[in-house]
Amino acid sequence: MPALPRRTPLRFSTQTLLLQLAVVALVVLLSSAVHAWLTYERLGREAENQALTLARTVASDPEVRAGVQRISAGTGTPPPAQLLAGPLMAAAEGARTRTGALFVVITDETGLRLAHPDADRLGERVSTDPSEALSGREVTTRNTGTLGPSAGAKVPVFAPGSASVVGEVSVGYSTETIGQSLGRDIVPIALTAAGALLAGTLVSFLLRHRLRRLTLGLEPEEISTLVHDQVAVLQGVDDGVVGVAADGRISVFNAAARRMLDQPDLAGTPWAAAPVPAPLKALTLPDAAEGDAVEFLAGGRALVASARKALHGREDLGWVLMLRDRTELQQLTRQLDAVGTMSTALRAQRHEFANQLHTLAGFMSLGQHGQAREYLARLAATGPLKFPVDQAQLLQDPYLQAFLGAKGVEADERGVALRLGPETLVRGSVVEPQDVTTVLGNLIDNAVNAAVAGSAGDRWVEVEVLDGPGDDGGAGTLHIIVADSGDGLPADDVFAEGFTSSGRPARAGAGQGLGLALARQLARRRGGDVTVLERGTAGGPGAVFMAVLPGTIAGSGGDGPAANSEGDNDA
């Protein structure tokens, strides 16, 4: 048996439209029915009141009162022929003809008809109960008699000059007449209902169009899935995501963006007034190139941001900005550069050591033992390896010795002499090598670049490193001073993002132009600072920078172990 074709479910917007149309139609029909019923009731009450007025008029006619009293006082009821030709019949038919009533009936005190539109019914008892009227009360009724359904009234007939009831007058108007009046009144009701239904249909179509536009044509299940996926992606990735809607308000600001920019959740804030760095806002300007990356500092972090236009079909949904944290990558790159520099220095020193061994082997093979001893004596006096940084023994920390030695080799290859200042003295050990490498490496690299670009014939960089005690007996403070032989600093702010001491302009995404700014923010985050002591002059000497890094060195200061042992030796 072939499988039946699967029915495609109606779209949510179509279901909503049909539901709205059904609700509108139901409301219009109910309103029309209620209005028609109220109109019918009003016409019925008007007919009853009209019948009551006519019955009162007939019952108060002196001739009717006298005629009914005369018949009621006599023995028996006159024959129908006599009643048909009598004054009561004439009065009743005259009133009925003038007013268009269905019937005007006059009875005696027992309920026998004395006047009736149908002559065959004269002398018979009425078909409806006359007891209330015969007891002296006026009543309105809606019932079905011998002439059909009617709305009418019953009024007692009193004897002339007396309060005794001698009969009653019953008047009725056909409900068919009421229906005809209702038929005339129902036309505007139907037109109003049709207009309301048409207006409701039009509004439903407009709402359906707006709903599809607001939901981008997506079904509720698709929207729910998108929301779950959005939350999972935005909160699960390490990259910062900032969404700017087409109306200029921030629509997405995930946890990674809040952490990187050090801001609370800015969702709903106008993008133009948001407290975010200016380079980030510049990515969404009309003249900005889509996809270009910009590097800037925020909250002590080196961030790279890029922006893309968000489109759905041809509809512009705004911008999506991606943030990536490059702080740890730059620090790792700095450390790898230092390791590479030290490796290069060790490789050169290994080559020099091999040459010295070959020289000794040559002396020994030639039997020149005396010259070999003299050569060894010279090596013992000067050291087996040539270290480009003099007085490195002032740095008791092996990490600083190796790092500055590597920087010395690197500077020497560029024709710059790296030397330690006379005030250098480090007796402790570095406990925060990553921060020290970032700050000290940036300052030395900038100084070497400045010395290479300077006009002085003697190119040098002088570094002074001094440790001091820490606060409350904690880790000590490392003081760093770096000077160079360059032509000094320009007049602008050297700590601004984008400043570079190299001869080439900073390249976006290459990590240039952020070194000094990052070093200062890192030092300030530790409670220290990086400042300019001297801006330098053209032709040299160049600029002098000072960095203070609290909590980066252990076993330092006047109360440290080295100081105590030195004091004992002095004693």
Side-chain angles (χ1 to χ4, degrees), residues 30-42 182 186 189:
L30 288 178
S31 300
S32 301
V34 171
H35 188 61
W37 172 254
L38 293 177
T39 302
Y40 178 80
E41 288 294 318
R42 177 179 58 80
L182 179 62
I186 205 67
I189 297 176

Side-chain angles (χ1 to χ4, degrees), residues 269-512:
T269 304
W271 176 242
V276 298
L280 196 58
K281 293 182 179 180
L283 291 174
T284 60
L285 294 178
D287 57 347
E290 184 178 353
D292 284 354
V294 61
E295 198 166 2
F296 61 96
L297 293 178
R301 299 177 181 272
L303 304 179
V304 176
S306 60
R308 295 281 183 182
K309 263 290 184 183
L311 300 174
H312 182 79
R314 296 184 178 180
E315 185 174 0
D316 183 7
L317 302 181
W319 290 89
V320 176
L321 294 93
M322 300 296 297
L323 300 173
R324 297 175 181 86
D325 194 347
R326 292 286 184 87
T327 306
E328 296 181 357
L329 180 60
Q330 287 193 2
Q331 293 173 348
L332 180 60
T333 302
R334 176 73 62 182
Q335 291 181 350
L336 290 177
D337 289 342
V339 171
T341 303
M342 287 187 282
S343 177
T344 302
L346 292 176
R347 187 164 53 250
Q349 292 177 353
R350 180 181 62 83
H351 184 267
E352 182 180 356
F353 185 71
N355 290 336
Q356 293 172 354
L357 290 179
H358 291 157
T359 301
L360 285 173
F363 282 141
M364 297 300 292
S365 63
L366 294 175
Q368 303 292 331
H369 302 291
Q371 293 183 4
R373 283 193 297 271
E374 292 177 1
Y375 185 68
L376 285 174
R378 287 197 302 271
L379 289 180
T382 59
L385 300 176
K386 181 180 179 182
F387 204 65
V389 179
D390 296 332
Q391 297 181 339
Q393 65 275 9
L394 296 176
L395 305 173
Q396 294 187 9
D397 179 67
Y399 180 83
L400 284 178
Q401 287 187 12
F403 183 73
L404 288 174
K407 286 296 181 184
V409 173
E410 189 179 49
D412 186 65
E413 291 178 353
R414 300 183 64 185
V416 178
L418 178 64
R419 63 185 184 225
L420 294 178
E423 301 297 330
T424 296
L425 180 60
V426 176
R427 294 162 293 180
S429 58
V430 174
V431 294
E432 295 289 345
Q434 184 173 338
D435 292 352
V436 173
T437 299
T438 300
V439 177
L440 182 57
N442 269 306
L443 294 180
I444 292 178
D445 289 345
N446 287 336
V448 171
N449 290 335
V452 172
S455 58
D458 185 17
R459 297 175 178 177
W460 53 265
V461 172
E462 184 174 285
V463 180
E464 286 189 352
V465 186
L466 181 65
D467 59 353
D471 297 334
D472 300 328
T477 301
L478 194 64
H479 302 269
I480 302 172
I481 297 180
V482 179
D484 61 72
S485 61
D487 291 334
L489 297 174
D492 54 352
D493 185 9
V494 297
F495 293 102
E497 299 176 23
F499 173 81
T500 175
S501 59
S502 64
R504 298 181 299 274
R507 292 181 290 111
Q512 293 180 325

Side-chain angles (χ1 to χ4, degrees), residues 564-571:
N564 292 338
S565 60
E566 186 178 344
D568 294 340
N569 293 335
D570 291 342

